[in-house]
Amino acid sequence: MTINYAVDLRLVSDLVSAPMEELTALNPSLLRSITPPDSAFDLHLPAGTATLFEQRIAAIPEGKRNAWRYHRV
């Protein structure tokens, strides 16, 4: 999935219920566990989670996606 905003992999992990280690392995080019801001980046997600990610990330303000955490109650 191609995104053009900064997002922390810990947030992605929370949103798609995938282990952080799996996301790190799928995105080895990310050295700081955050996607680059203001440039296109191909974020690799576990199979079958792209739609879930799109739905849940839409609820988080773009400026907060690099420091936000998702918590289900």
Side-chain angles (χ1 to χ4, degrees):
M1 147 171 278
T2 302
I3 60 172
N4 60 355
Y5 50 83
V7 65
D8 193 313
L9 283 186
R10 292 172 294 186
L11 173 60
V12 177
S13 173
D14 292 344
L15 293 175
V16 299
S17 300
M20 183 66 181
E21 295 79 21
E22 182 178 4
L23 291 171
T24 303
L26 289 171
N27 298 283
S29 64
L30 293 178
L31 301 177
R32 296 187 179 189
S33 298
I34 192 166
T35 62
D38 303 324
S39 63
F41 181 79
D42 290 328
L43 179 65
H44 300 278
L45 299 170
T49 61
T51 303
L52 180 63
F53 173 76
E54 287 178 335
Q55 291 170 349
R56 290 183 173 172
I57 198 73
I60 300 170
E62 192 169 322
K64 305 281 186 177
R65 293 176 182 170
N66 60 351
W68 196 279
R69 293 301 305 261
Y70 185 82
H71 180 71
R72 277 189 317 193
V73 179

